[in-house]
């Protein structure tokens, strides 16, 4: 197949980034990580997965984790970011893989074998997709798209020195509405293989 390579996929909500990443990983026959990272962080920390889910990819720090002694706790969001970053680095060491979101392009920025992609699409197309996928009315879907994008941007900008969804942070930005989910995965496979060939 190809040499070791880690693909980090950032995505706007409703752009199909998760599905595209999943199909890309299948095409390249490498592991795929998205929500699995929360599960792994839960196992590592002993904090209930449901609690971590609430803080997943959000910068807003509402909950303090109390220490056993009752002394100053740690913000769960901060802890989750540290845990996931550690897990992402371990997974990147282990094998080639596709990682969705979680500032992976920033966490792994020092790796020569990092191929970083951002999946976007026009807002109208994303709203349409969320309406169909989540069976929402247009108003709710539009609200969800704006809200999740804002959360992802705040999260990324909070933990990294970069700006979410801006060209400087990525090797490639792609509009998934042009080629669709499968077509975009195919395009990314081609680009990833070309990238891997340059690593040799």
């Amino acid at each position: 197949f190809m040499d070791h390579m880690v693909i980090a996929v950032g995505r706007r909500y409703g752009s199909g980034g998760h599905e595209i990443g999943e199909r890309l990983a299948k095409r390249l026959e490498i592991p795929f990580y998205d929500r699995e990272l929360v599960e792994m962080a839960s196992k590592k920390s002993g904090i209930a997965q449901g609690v971590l889910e609430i803080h997943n990819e959000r910068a807003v720090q509402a909950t303090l984790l109390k220490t056993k002694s009752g002394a100053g706790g740690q913000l769960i969001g901060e802890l989750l970011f540290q845990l996931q970053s550690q897990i992402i680095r371990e997974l990147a060491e282990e094998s080639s893989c596709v990682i969705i979101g979680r500032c992976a392009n920033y966490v792994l920025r020092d790796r020569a074998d990092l191929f970083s992609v951002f999946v976007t699409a026009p807002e109208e197309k994303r709203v349409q997709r969320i309406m169909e996928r989540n069976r929402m009315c247009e108003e709710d879907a539009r609200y969800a798209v704006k809200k999740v994008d804002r959360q992802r941007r705040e999260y990324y900008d909070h933990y990294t020195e970069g700006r979410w969804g801006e060209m400087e942070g990525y090797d490639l930005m792609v509009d998934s509405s042009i080629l669709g989910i499968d077509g975009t995965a195919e395009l990314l496979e081609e680009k990833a293989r070309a990238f891997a060939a340059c690593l040799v």
Side-chain angles (χ1 to χ4, degrees), residues 82-123:
Q82 288 161 16
L83 282 167
Q84 287 191 343
S85 299
Q86 189 189 344
I87 291 164
I88 285 168
R89 283 191 281 268
E90 286 165 8
L91 293 171
E93 269 311 306
E94 234 164 76
S95 72
S96 294
C97 58
V98 174
I99 297 173
I100 300 286
R102 314 212 168 45
C103 309
N105 66 322
Y106 176 79
V107 173
L108 302 173
R109 64 193 180 283
D110 298 330
R111 294 186 70 95
D113 60 0
L114 171 70
F115 181 54
S116 167
V117 178
F118 192 84
V119 181
T120 184
E123 188 175 310

Side-chain angles (χ1 to χ4, degrees), residues 13 123 126-132 134-147:
Y13 188 59
E123 188 175 310
R126 296 188 290 122
V127 168
Q128 197 60 45
R129 188 179 154 80
I130 295 300
M131 278 168 70
E132 287 162 18
N134 299 356
R135 297 192 175 80
M136 284 177 167
C137 68
E138 186 182 344
E139 192 187 344
D140 289 350
R142 193 172 297 281
Y143 175 76
V145 162
K146 286 188 166 26
K147 180 181 161 198

Side-chain angles (χ1 to χ4, degrees), residues 13-180:
Y13 188 59
S15 66
H18 173 91
E19 290 84 345
I20 290 164
E22 204 163 20
R23 288 179 200 190
L24 174 62
K26 273 205 180 78
R27 285 173 167 277
L28 296 171
E29 298 176 348
I30 59 178
F32 169 80
Y33 301 103
D34 186 356
R35 296 185 188 91
E36 295 80 356
L37 293 164
V38 182
E39 204 179 311
M40 290 173 176
S42 166
K43 286 199 177 105
K44 218 185 219 325
S45 64
I47 300 167
Q49 193 172 332
V51 174
L52 294 181
E53 288 284 359
I54 298 167
H55 295 269
N56 190 33
E57 292 198 275
R58 295 201 185 139
V60 179
Q61 305 292 335
T63 323
L64 267 177
L65 197 63
K66 293 278 180 279
T67 51
K68 285 199 174 70
S69 62
Q74 185 178 15
L75 292 166
I76 291 188
E78 300 282 342
L79 178 67
L80 179 59
F81 179 75
Q82 288 161 16
L83 282 167
Q84 287 191 343
S85 299
Q86 189 189 344
I87 291 164
I88 285 168
R89 283 191 281 268
E90 286 165 8
L91 293 171
E93 269 311 306
E94 234 164 76
S95 72
S96 294
C97 58
V98 174
I99 297 173
I100 300 286
R102 314 212 168 45
C103 309
N105 66 322
Y106 176 79
V107 173
L108 302 173
R109 64 193 180 283
D110 298 330
R111 294 186 70 95
D113 60 0
L114 171 70
F115 181 54
S116 167
V117 178
F118 192 84
V119 181
T120 184
E123 188 175 310
E124 289 311 315
K125 297 264 171 53
R126 296 188 290 122
V127 168
Q128 197 60 45
R129 188 179 154 80
I130 295 300
M131 278 168 70
E132 287 162 18
R133 192 184 76 187
N134 299 356
R135 297 192 175 80
M136 284 177 167
C137 68
E138 186 182 344
E139 192 187 344
D140 289 350
R142 193 172 297 281
Y143 175 76
V145 162
K146 286 188 166 26
K147 180 181 161 198
V148 177
D149 272 357
R150 189 181 65 243
Q151 284 172 346
R152 287 180 183 172
R153 174 177 296 110
E154 285 168 358
Y155 173 81
Y156 189 87
D157 295 354
H158 177 80
Y159 287 110
T160 76
E161 288 139 29
R163 306 288 300 158
W164 183 76
E166 287 185 16
M167 200 61 228
E168 304 78 72
Y170 311 91
D171 297 315
L172 184 69
M173 294 189 85
V174 59
D175 176 348
S176 62
S177 71
I178 297 169
L179 296 172

